[in-house]
Every structure is written in C-alpha cells, then in structure tokens.
C-alpha cells in the first residue's frame, strides 16, 4: 500500500533540490569560493535529510528529536541566506523566493514540533 504524501517531506526535498541548484549557480556566477555557500549547502540539504529520517523514527521522542534537528538546520539556512543576500550575491527576486520557502519550512517544522511536544507532555 502506498503511503500518503507527506507535505513537510515533499517541501524539504524540493527545498534541498533548490539549494543544490542555487549553490551551483552562485559558484558559477561569482566564480569565487564562498564559505557561506558551503554552509548553506550543508544546512539546506540537511533539513530534508533529517525530515526524511524522522519518517522512520523508532518512537515519538525520536521523531521529535529528528524534526528538532531539521528545524535548527532550517534556522541556520535562513541565517546563511541572509548573509549571502547582505553580500549582494542574489537579485531581490532570487532572495525573496528561496528565503520565503525557508521561512515556510521553519513555520511548518515549528508547528509540527510544538504539536508533538504537546502530545508527549500531556
């Protein structure tokens, strides 16, 4: 039986794909090696990896722990996107698009983790 589509898994997978493409594009466009690009690549793809891993958690606490890590990585990604924007590597349209996707993921993960915490505590 096919599992129903999971919105947060789908969004974080798509976001990871965008991060990979964005980093490749920015490296080619600016022909420089940016530490921030490596950082945003690592944290931006880690969100999806941890979310995917949470789908096979051994317990509710394990599920929460993996999504909490994904949330931390999403917040770090937000930080690096802001730094890259401050450095002028994005057009306003490029920045707004990927930044808004990151914020949406942060909001979803925040909501999910709060719900799970509530169920575990109560």
């Amino acid at each position: 039986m096919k599992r129903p589509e999971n919105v947060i898994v789908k969004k974080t997978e798509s976001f990871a794909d965008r991060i990979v493409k964005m980093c490749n594009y920015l490296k080619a466009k600016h022909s420089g090696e940016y530490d921030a690009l490596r950082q945003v690549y690592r944290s931006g793809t880690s969100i999806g990896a941890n979310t995917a891993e949470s789908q096979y958690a051994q317990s509710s606490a394990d599920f929460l722990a993996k999504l909490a890590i994904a949330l931390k990585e999403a917040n770090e990604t937000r930080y690096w996107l802001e730094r890259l924007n401050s450095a002028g590597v994005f057009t306003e349209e490029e920045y707004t698009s990927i930044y808004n996707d990151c914020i949406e993921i942060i909001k979803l993960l925040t909501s999910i983790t709060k719900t799970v915490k509530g169920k575990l505590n109560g």
Side-chain angles (χ1 to χ4, degrees):
M1 182 172 167
K2 186 177 178 187
R3 291 177 74 162
E5 186 174 294
N6 185 309
V7 173
I8 191 64
V9 170
K10 195 73 175 153
K11 285 187 180 293
T12 57
E13 286 173 351
S14 295
F15 186 73
D17 293 344
R18 285 192 72 195
I19 289 289
V20 169
K21 290 175 185 173
M22 177 199 76
C23 288
N24 288 336
Y25 168 75
L26 290 175
K27 280 173 79 172
K29 179 179 174 185
H30 294 282
S31 69
E33 188 66 32
Y34 289 98
D35 288 335
L37 280 181
R38 283 196 305 273
Q39 293 288 355
V40 78
Y41 185 95
R42 185 201 53 76
S43 63
T45 56
S46 181
I47 303 163
N50 281 289
T51 303
E53 209 176 308
S54 76
Q55 301 306 292
Y56 294 94
Q58 296 176 358
S59 65
S60 294
D62 187 34
F63 177 77
L64 178 60
K66 289 182 181 6
L67 288 185
I69 293 168
L71 178 56
K72 287 179 182 182
E73 295 292 340
N75 190 53
E76 182 180 341
T77 302
R78 178 203 50 80
Y79 172 83
W80 289 116
L81 290 172
E82 289 171 351
R83 299 296 58 79
L84 287 166
N85 188 52
S86 294
V89 301
F90 292 118
T91 67
E92 188 61 34
E93 184 179 341
E94 289 167 342
Y95 174 69
T96 300
S97 176
I98 199 153
Y99 184 82
N100 287 343
D101 283 354
C102 187
I103 295 302
E104 180 183 10
I105 288 168
I106 289 171
K107 288 178 180 178
L108 285 168
L109 288 169
T110 299
S111 176
I112 294 166
T113 56
K114 281 183 180 180
T115 300
V116 174
K117 281 180 190 175
K119 289 180 181 178
L120 287 175
N121 294 331

